[in-house]
């Protein structure tokens, strides 16, 4: 019979085969003093020694000099013997001197009688895992430093229920809480009471949990209670199995960005409005110029017709009505030109109380008996720098508007007082300001109407009852005078419109009120002058010629500047040239310059519908404002031909 091994020997052989088959772990035995008594292939692979090289040697040779110096090998054996097991991680040394990170377990081996037989030692090389852990730790540290260094964003974590688990410096700067104050609190404390009541915090978490991300802009609350506009993102954080670990929350304060965008939008809107108003102003000025020419022809022809027709009672009222209608057209054109800032203003020192006093009787008749007009003037008011005629027209506009706002009667107050300083930095500065105001006790304006009140062609009156240019004209006058228009009104509480006008310099020449200006008699001129009349509008030119010939003068016509120069070049003698300014190719001012260079003694008069002369053009030439009457034409001839 074959020899059979004892069961114990078979088991020992199996254990040996098992241990030798393990190559990822160094498994070996130590005697009670720590000398190596067995060595498996895994130990040879991990530590680099063959079995003959280490058997009988003390296991401390695998430790670093530092660990040996502090007695770690002996401590390990002692703790294994006394505590039943020793386990730790640390650096170990291979045969070639290189180091590796090892996980070590030492178990004591006892005999059945309880005596110590030795130790079983298992060592695993964890260098790669250790390196990965170090790299991960370094990465985490760098990430933490990065997150903490971000001060423009609040970056923090929430647990699955929404409680704060960490807090960066940006969160402290934006929200005002330190980490100690806020960690553990629910993130809903940053929301407004309205948002908390509506369940917005919970909705944000639920959306992020369901969809992976929640993003929104809204109002949030700082520690001090102040509110700010925030852009918020909440991202769900899950592990490899999909289990929810919490949420990453990023908040960015966009208050300044939104305010800057709003300011940019307002600036764009203001620019658009300015461009629109400029376009309307240019269009208005152009239309007004053309209407001036039409009215010039109409009024001039009517004036000549009235002089030449027999005094027929049945016809004169018709002519007078036509002239009055044309005069109303002239007034409308003046409003349009004032709006477009092309009305030629005669700025001078104007005494406000005198202007108001001169128009009170007419104004009272205009507003009717149901409305009381009162004045409230500060004592010793200084004069203002403006155009007296245009100011009277502006006041009349404001008073008529006030009357229309009080259909059942009321009180209109015309007040004036000196301002010690501008009401706000945007108001004009200079020698000082005077506030001239017209107040009523009428129905007032709502916010929408107030915002559009000075917009050209906007009116709340019925069809045919207003042009919508009244306030625009007033604004044009005030701003051309170097001042500012203010409108204050509230629905049901009346309206106050104020003209902030600059004070006149003490040395400025005064300008009497329009009513106080006496009508002067026509100056006497030679019976017949020879005049060259120049205008590109045939109707206006014909009308001008008729008025001049009716005055007894001889007229030669030219339809443009070049034609006028051709006439002069022929050597024909003229006493004066009367030319329109706004003509194509060569303006009246340019024609005047050419005439002054070639015939310096020949007087030139410029006829213009508005003060459109660029700086330096026209010089000190006498100007005749269109539309002009025959008497105004005679006056300008006398001015241009002194001593004739």
């Amino acid at each position: 019979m074959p020899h059979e091994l004892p069961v114990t020997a078979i088991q020992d052989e199996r254990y040996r085969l098992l241990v030798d088959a393990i190559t990822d772990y160094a498994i070996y035995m130590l005697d009670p003093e720590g000398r190596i008594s067995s060595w498996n292939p895994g130990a040879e692979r991990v530590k680099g020694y063959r079995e003959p090289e280490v058997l009988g040697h003390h296991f401390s040779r695998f430790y670093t000099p530092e660990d040996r110096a502090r007695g770690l090998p002996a401590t390990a054996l002692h703790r294994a013997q006394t505590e039943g097991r020793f386990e730790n991680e640390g650096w170990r040394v291979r045969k070639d001197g290189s180091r590796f990170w090892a996980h070590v377990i030492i178990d004591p081996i006892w005999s059945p009688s309880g005596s110590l037989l030795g130790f079983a030692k298992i060592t695993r090389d964890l260098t790669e895992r250790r390196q990965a852990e170090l790299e991960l730790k370094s990465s985490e540290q760098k990430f933490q430093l990065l997150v903490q260094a971000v001060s423009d964003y609040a970056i923090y974590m929430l647990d699955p229920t929404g409680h704060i688990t960490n807090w960066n410096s940006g969160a402290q700067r934006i929200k005002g809480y330190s980490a100690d104050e806020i960690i553990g609190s629910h993130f809903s404390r940053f929301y407004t009471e309205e948002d908390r009541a509506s369940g917005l915090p919970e909705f944000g978490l639920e959306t992020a949990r369901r969809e992976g991300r929640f993003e929104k802009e809204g109002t949030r609350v700082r520690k001090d209670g102040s509110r700010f506009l925030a852009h918020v993102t909440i991202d769900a954080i899950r592990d490899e199995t999909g289990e929810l670990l919490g949420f990453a929350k990023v908040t960015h304060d966009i208050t300044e960005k939104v305010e800057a965008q709003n300011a940019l939008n307002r600036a764009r809107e203001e620019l658009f409005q300015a461009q629109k108003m400029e376009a309307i102003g240019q269009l208005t000025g152009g239309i007004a110029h053309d209407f001036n020419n039409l009215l010039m022809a109409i009024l001039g022809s009517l004036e000549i017709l009235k002089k030449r027709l027999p005094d027929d009672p049945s016809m004169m009222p018709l002519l007078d009505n036509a002239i009055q209608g044309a005069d109303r057209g002239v007034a409308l054109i003046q409003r349009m030109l004032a709006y477009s800032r092309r009305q030629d203003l005669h700025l001078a020192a104007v005494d406000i109380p005198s202007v108001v006093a001169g128009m009170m009787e007419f104004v009272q008749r205009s507003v009717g008996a149901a409305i009381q007009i009162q004045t409230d003037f500060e004592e010793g008011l200084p004069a203002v720098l403006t155009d007296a005629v245009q100011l009277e027209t502006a006041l009349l506009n404001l008073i008529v508007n006030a009357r229309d706002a009080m259909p059942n009667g009321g009180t209109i107050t015309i007040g004036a007082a000196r301002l010690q300083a501008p009401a706000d930095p945007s108001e004009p500065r200079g020698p000082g300001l005077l506030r001239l105001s017209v107040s009523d006790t009428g129905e007032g304006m709502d916010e929408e109407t107030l915002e559009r009140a000075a917009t050209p062609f906007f009116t709340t009156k019925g069809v045919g009852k207003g042009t919508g240019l009244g306030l625009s004209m007033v604004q044009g006058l005030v701003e051309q005078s170097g001042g500012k228009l203010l409108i204050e009104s509230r629905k049901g509480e009346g309206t106050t419109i104020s003209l902030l006008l600059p004070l006149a310099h003490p040395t400025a020449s005064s300008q009497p009120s329009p009513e106080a200006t006496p009508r002067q008699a026509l100056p006497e001129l030679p019976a017949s002058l020879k005049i060259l009349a120049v205008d590109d509008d045939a109707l206006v030119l014909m009308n001008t010629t008729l008025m001049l010939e009716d005055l007894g003068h001889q007229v030669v016509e030219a339809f443009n500047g070049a034609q006028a120069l051709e006439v002069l070049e022929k050597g024909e003698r003229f006493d004066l040239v009367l030319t329109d300014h706004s003509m194509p190719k060569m303006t009246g001012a340019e024609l005047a310059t050419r005439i002054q260079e070639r015939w310096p003694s020949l007087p030139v008069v410029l006829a213009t519908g508005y003060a459109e002369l660029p700086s330096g053009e026209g010089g000190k030439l006498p100007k005749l404002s269109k539309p002009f009457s025959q008497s105004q034409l005679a006056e300008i001839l006398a001015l241009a031909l002194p001593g004739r």
Side-chain angles (χ1 to χ4, degrees):
M1 293 181 60
H3 179 70
E4 293 184 2
L5 294 174
V7 174
T8 302
I10 293 174
Q11 290 176 340
D12 289 345
E13 181 62 17
R14 287 177 178 173
Y15 281 129
R16 187 185 67 78
L17 292 174
L18 174 63
V19 170
D20 286 346
I22 295 173
T23 59
D24 289 338
Y25 290 82
I27 303 175
Y28 53 98
M29 300 287 294
L30 304 177
D31 64 17
E33 286 73 33
R35 288 186 293 271
I36 300 167
S37 57
S38 70
W39 194 249
N40 80 327
E44 181 175 339
R45 189 191 67 81
V46 171
K47 298 181 182 286
Y49 293 95
R50 293 182 292 105
E51 185 176 27
E53 293 178 301
V54 295
L55 288 179
H57 292 272
H58 199 274
F59 83 109
S60 60
R61 71 186 303 169
F62 308 133
Y63 283 72
T64 65
E66 309 93 84
D67 287 345
R68 290 200 302 269
R70 60 191 182 95
L72 182 57
T75 300
L77 295 182
H78 176 72
R79 288 179 56 183
Q81 184 177 350
T82 57
E83 298 176 11
R85 184 182 180 86
F86 173 79
E87 183 175 5
N88 83 333
E89 291 183 4
W91 291 109
R92 296 296 182 266
V93 182
R94 294 188 177 92
K95 177 182 177 181
D96 61 6
S98 63
R99 298 189 178 195
F100 66 99
W101 188 260
H103 175 263
V104 175
I105 297 175
I106 302 178
D107 289 292
I109 300 174
W110 304 96
S111 67
S113 62
S115 62
L116 181 66
L117 298 178
F119 300 93
K121 191 170 185 300
I122 301 174
T123 301
R124 185 182 180 190
D125 184 352
L126 299 180
T127 305
E128 291 183 1
R129 193 192 78 176
R130 167 70 173 176
Q131 184 63 31
E133 289 176 349
L134 290 176
E135 289 176 357
L136 177 61
K137 185 176 181 180
S138 175
S139 176
E140 289 176 348
Q141 289 175 341
K142 289 177 181 178
F143 179 74
Q144 287 293 333
L145 290 174
L146 173 63
V147 169
Q148 287 298 326
V150 175
S151 60
D152 289 338
Y153 290 80
I155 304 174
Y156 52 99
M157 298 291 294
L158 307 177
D159 66 16
T161 62
H163 291 83
I164 300 163
T165 58
N166 60 30
W167 195 245
N168 82 323
S169 60
Q172 180 169 339
R173 187 190 69 81
I174 293 173
K175 299 180 184 285
Y177 296 93
S178 66
D180 294 338
E181 293 175 302
I182 204 66
I183 289 178
S185 301
H186 198 272
F187 83 109
S188 61
R189 71 186 303 172
F190 308 132
Y191 285 69
T192 63
E193 292 182 5
E194 311 91 84
D195 287 345
R196 289 200 298 271
S198 67
L200 184 58
E202 293 76 12
F203 175 77
L205 290 188
E206 179 58 32
T207 301
R209 183 182 292 110
R210 183 180 63 254
E211 300 178 7
R213 183 181 181 85
F214 173 78
E215 185 171 2
K216 189 176 179 61
E217 291 183 0
T219 302
R220 298 295 182 267
V221 183
R222 295 187 176 92
K223 178 183 177 181
D224 61 8
S226 61
R227 298 188 175 195
F228 66 99
L229 293 173
H231 177 269
V232 175
T233 58
I234 303 176
D235 289 284
I237 306 300
R238 300 180 183 275
D239 62 13
E240 296 85 350
T241 65
E243 182 180 354
L244 181 67
L245 301 178
F247 303 93
K249 191 167 186 300
V250 180
T251 301
H252 183 41
D253 185 349
I254 60 172
T255 306
E256 292 183 359
K257 175 185 175 182
V258 171
E259 290 176 350
Q261 185 61 46
N262 290 339
L264 178 60
N265 291 340
R266 286 194 298 270
R268 286 174 176 169
E269 180 64 24
E270 289 171 0
L271 176 61
F272 171 73
Q273 290 297 331
Q275 290 172 335
K276 183 172 71 173
M277 291 299 101
E278 175 66 19
I280 293 176
Q282 291 176 356
L283 176 63
T284 301
I287 292 174
H289 177 268
D290 291 340
F291 268 112
N292 262 333
N293 285 342
L294 294 174
L295 291 170
M296 174 78 199
I298 293 170
L299 280 171
S301 298
L302 289 173
E303 190 174 0
I304 298 298
L305 185 61
K306 186 176 182 180
K307 290 177 64 176
R308 296 184 179 181
L309 282 175
D311 190 8
D312 185 345
S314 65
M315 298 183 64
M316 284 302 110
L318 298 177
L319 274 175
D320 289 338
N321 283 343
I323 291 172
Q324 288 177 10
D327 284 336
R328 289 180 64 181
V330 171
L332 175 59
I333 293 304
Q334 288 177 340
R335 292 184 184 183
M336 294 174 71
L337 289 171
Y339 160 70
S340 65
R341 303 185 188 181
R342 296 188 177 189
Q343 181 64 44
D344 193 2
L345 296 185
H346 303 285
L347 298 179
V350 176
D351 182 63
I352 295 295
S354 298
V355 171
V356 175
M359 58 187 295
M360 282 301 290
E361 183 179 352
F362 169 74
V363 165
Q364 188 63 68
R365 289 199 308 268
S366 300
V367 299
I371 294 177
Q372 178 185 0
I373 297 181
Q374 62 186 22
T375 58
D376 181 16
F377 295 144
E378 185 181 281
E379 291 288 338
L381 283 175
V384 296
L385 187 66
T386 189
D387 184 306
V389 177
Q390 294 297 325
L391 179 63
E392 182 181 283
T393 304
L395 281 173
L396 184 59
N397 265 295
L398 297 180
I399 292 169
V400 170
N401 285 346
R403 178 202 66 187
D404 294 344
M406 299 184 293
N408 299 319
T411 301
I412 297 175
T413 302
I414 305 172
R418 181 170 181 169
L419 293 180
Q420 299 301 322
D424 65 64
S426 67
E427 292 177 6
R429 295 176 181 269
L433 294 171
L434 183 142
R435 182 176 187 141
L436 172 62
S437 60
V438 176
S439 303
D440 65 61
T441 56
E443 56 193 23
M445 294 181 276
D446 56 28
E447 291 185 5
E448 182 180 357
T449 303
L450 181 61
E451 186 176 347
R452 301 179 60 192
T455 302
F457 309 112
F458 172 77
T459 178
T460 57
K461 301 177 183 179
V463 176
K465 295 184 179 180
T467 63
L469 285 171
L471 276 179
S472 297
M473 182 275 290
V474 176
Q475 185 175 38
L477 166 67
V478 174
E479 293 185 359
Q480 273 189 279
S481 299
K484 183 177 181 180
L485 181 72
L486 296 179
I487 306 176
E488 302 166 273
S489 185
R490 186 172 294 180
K491 192 66 175 176
E493 299 183 13
T495 300
T496 297
I497 298 181
S498 301
L499 285 64
L500 304 185
L501 295 169
L503 300 182
H505 194 277
T507 60
S509 59
S510 63
Q511 183 179 0
S513 65
E515 295 295 329
T517 305
R519 186 69 180 173
Q520 298 181 359
L522 289 177
E524 292 188 7
L525 287 171
S528 178
L529 296 173
K530 190 169 184 180
I531 298 173
L532 176 60
V534 188
D535 202 304
D536 63 321
D537 190 304
L539 288 176
V540 175
L541 184 58
M542 181 182 71
N543 182 79
T544 303
T545 300
L546 283 173
M547 287 194 290
L548 287 171
E549 290 177 344
D550 187 68
L551 290 171
H553 305 305
Q554 180 184 357
V555 182
V556 175
E557 296 180 344
F559 289 93
N560 52 59
Q563 193 177 95
L565 290 175
E566 289 178 5
V567 172
L568 291 172
E569 287 288 352
K570 292 178 180 178
E572 196 170 350
R573 191 191 68 80
F574 290 91
D575 296 299
L576 180 138
V577 176
L578 173 61
T579 177
D580 180 34
H581 172 68
S582 183
M583 296 186 297
K585 295 185 179 179
M586 183 186 300
T587 66
E590 292 170 342
L591 173 60
T593 301
R594 300 277 291 274
I595 291 173
Q596 288 172 342
E597 292 172 352
R598 183 75 171 80
W599 301 277
S601 61
L602 180 59
V604 180
V605 173
L606 281 180
T608 175
Y610 45 81
E612 83 276 50
L613 302 183
S615 177
E617 282 197 20
K620 297 182 179 180
L621 292 175
K623 297 185 184 68
L624 181 61
S625 296
K626 288 184 176 180
F628 51 82
S629 64
Q630 192 176 39
S631 61
Q632 291 170 328
L633 179 57
E635 288 175 4
I636 201 68
L637 294 180
L639 177 65
L641 296 167
R644 293 286 184 100

